[in-house]
Amino acid sequence: MKTSRKKLVTIGAALTSIVCFSYEQNNRISSSEITIKSEKLPQSFDNFNIVQLSDLHNKSFRKNHSKLVKKVIHANPNIILFTGDLVDKRSYRPEISLILMKKLVKIAPVYYVTGNHEWATGHFHEFENSLINLGVHVLRNTYKELVVGDEIIHLLGIDDPSSLAEPIRERQSTGETLRTLFKEIDNKSSYKILLSHRPEFLSLYAQFDIDLIFSGHAHGGQFRFPVLGGLFAPHQGFLPRYTSGINIEKNSTLIVNRGLGNSLFPQRIFNRPEIIVTKLSVMR
């Protein structure tokens, strides 16, 4: 009898541990701090603070996202970037995302680009209008000049090409978009930041000598393991190359956000939701 009771207690403890671990992996937000140094940065942008969020997929962090908003406020950003998939195509609930955006625009200017899920919902244009009405800067194959004092850097944002059927066409389309954008920018030598949902196009971004790229989409590889990294990412398959952190090719640095929510697969392992805080630093 005592042995049976001990087994039940052990099983109960094990199940409780698994449930607690699973909950923590999906809900306890991690903050990653990155410093990017460059000689091209204007002096006025030294210590410029950027918060990047990505891939919310309708997830909520406590009531009105209070947990997430608190972390963003603590980071004291000059700007906030959101790199796509605010909503989820399998369960379109835009009000969850709009509540977050309404909170964020009160902290700092918010710049947003689309992910594949926005287009897959079939409701993007209505959603876009809601974001614009809240004061979100929706960057759709365009750019903004970020000004501090009398100095500027360029912030570019491109649409996710997921409406195109073939992956090779998606890459070509992205390249054409970037070529058009660069023709419009007067100061070719300025420091340039790109927002693009897709990290797997890094070699393409590097062809344009874009200084800094922020992406998401990979969900950190969903499950993360020592040495191997992420297990699987959309459009990259198993053991993907670009799932998190800093990735460098030529003169371009790519920062991949592990994202906040989940989509098809509901569980993260060793891959907690992430907010990235990037500080720009003038290399002396």
Side-chain angles (χ1 to χ4, degrees):
M1 196 72 171
K2 288 183 178 179
T3 302
S4 297
R5 189 175 296 141
K6 282 184 178 179
K7 285 183 178 179
L8 287 174
V9 170
T10 301
I11 292 171
L15 289 174
T16 300
S17 296
I18 291 170
V19 169
C20 289
F21 175 78
S22 298
Y23 180 84
E24 179 192 53
Q25 291 297 295
N26 275 2
N27 294 279
R28 187 180 168 202
I29 304 169
S30 65
S31 292
S32 302
E33 296 184 359
I34 295 173
T35 298
I36 297 295
K37 297 182 179 181
S38 174
E39 295 176 344
K40 286 180 64 176
L41 277 166
Q43 187 61 44
S44 298
F45 284 85
D46 195 36
N47 293 321
F48 192 82
N49 226 21
I50 300 171
V51 162
Q52 183 206 8
L53 307 173
S54 196
D55 298 87
L56 186 68
H57 289 283
N58 292 342
K59 184 171 178 59
S60 186
F61 292 90
R62 294 185 183 168
K63 186 177 180 180
N64 295 332
H65 298 281
S66 60
K67 189 176 179 181
L68 176 57
V69 170
K70 184 177 180 180
K71 278 192 171 287
V72 174
I73 292 172
H74 180 73
N76 192 29
N78 293 98
I79 59 173
I80 300 168
L81 312 178
F82 202 103
T83 46
D85 285 0
L86 257 172
V87 292
D88 193 271
K89 67 180 181 181
R90 294 175 180 85
S91 176
Y92 182 60
R93 298 174 61 194
E95 66 278 1
I96 296 175
S97 303
L98 295 175
I99 288 170
L100 175 61
M101 291 293 113
K102 187 175 182 180
K103 299 283 186 180
L104 293 181
V105 296
K106 295 178 181 178
I107 301 170
V110 177
Y111 297 88
Y112 157 87
V113 292
T114 60
N116 52 305
H117 277 254
E118 279 88 348
W119 294 111
T121 65
H123 299 284
F124 173 66
H125 296 295
E126 176 186 345
F127 184 60
E128 179 186 21
N129 288 334
S130 297
L131 290 173
I132 292 171
N133 289 336
L134 287 176
V136 175
H137 299 278
V138 179
L139 300 182
R140 299 194 53 209
N141 304 328
T142 188
Y143 70 90
K144 294 281 188 179
E145 291 183 349
L146 302 182
V147 182
V148 176
D150 59 355
E151 296 179 303
I152 69 166
I153 62 176
H154 285 94
L155 179 66
L156 295 72
I158 59 175
D159 275 339
D160 186 85
S162 56
S163 59
L164 302 170
E166 300 177 5
I168 189 169
R169 180 68 183 124
E170 291 180 346
R171 185 182 176 92
Q172 290 173 350
S173 175
T174 300
E176 291 165 6
T177 296
L178 288 171
R179 273 187 286 276
T180 300
L181 265 180
F182 270 73
K183 288 178 183 177
E184 296 175 4
I185 296 174
D186 293 330
N187 185 357
K188 306 300 181 185
S189 63
S190 68
Y191 190 87
K192 296 176 183 65
I193 298 174
L194 172 68
L195 309 187
S196 176
H197 189 58
R198 303 288 189 96
E200 66 268 22
F201 293 158
L202 173 56
S203 61
L204 174 62
Y205 307 145
Q207 291 177 22
F208 292 87
D209 281 336
I210 298 169
D211 300 286
L212 182 60
I213 306 109
F214 289 93
S215 293
H217 191 48
H219 292 208
Q222 203 68 47
F223 296 175
R224 296 191 66 79
F225 302 100
V227 182
L228 289 178
L231 178 64
F232 181 86
H235 295 95
Q236 294 187 70
F238 286 97
L239 300 181
R241 183 175 180 182
Y242 307 112
T243 60
S244 70
I246 294 176
N247 306 264
I248 298 174
E249 184 156 338
K250 296 181 180 177
N251 296 319
S252 298
T253 299
L254 166 70
I255 295 175
V256 184
N257 191 302
R258 298 199 311 269
L260 293 163
N262 300 311
S263 184
L264 180 62
F265 196 81
Q267 182 63 52
R268 291 167 173 254
I269 295 181
F270 304 119
N271 178 30
R272 286 159 43 203
E274 181 178 47
I275 168 177
I276 293 181
V277 184
T278 300
K279 179 174 287 188
L280 302 184
S281 177
V282 178
M283 187 179 291
R284 295 177 175 83

